[in-house]
Amino acid sequence: DGLATIRALITQVSERRRVDVLGLEVGAGQAQEVSELMRRAGFSSVRSERDLAGIERVLVAERGKGR
């Protein structure tokens, strides 16, 4: 599915408690699955930004304040 590197990166970042915000560029059609991976890794807020073609291209995830 092309997400092996993203899965590994999210796992590594989730172990670093000092990281409160994570931004990732994703391929077309990957935003929903990647945002779910981010939520499962402890990022409570995930939003997407669309590119000029209207495709969800960048995901920005933030940890909750009371983690």
Side-chain angles (χ1 to χ4, degrees), residues 3-19:
L3 297 176
T5 301
I6 289 176
R7 278 189 193 94
L9 181 62
I10 291 171
T11 298
Q12 289 178 20
V13 169
S14 72
E15 295 168 354
R16 288 167 175 77
R17 293 295 168 194
R18 294 185 339 183
V19 177

Side-chain angles (χ1 to χ4, degrees), residues 37-58:
L37 291 170
M38 291 171 143
R39 283 187 183 90
R40 279 191 250 144
F43 292 92
S44 57
S45 171
V46 181
R47 73 176 192 277
S48 66
E49 300 292 333
R50 295 181 181 272
D51 64 14
L52 294 176
I55 298 168
E56 291 180 299
R57 185 65 67 189
V58 175

Side-chain angles (χ1 to χ4, degrees), residues 24-45:
L24 293 176
E25 180 179 3
V26 296
Q30 294 179 329
Q32 184 175 353
E33 188 170 351
V34 174
S35 80
E36 181 57 34
L37 291 170
M38 291 171 143
R39 283 187 183 90
R40 279 191 250 144
F43 292 92
S44 57
S45 171

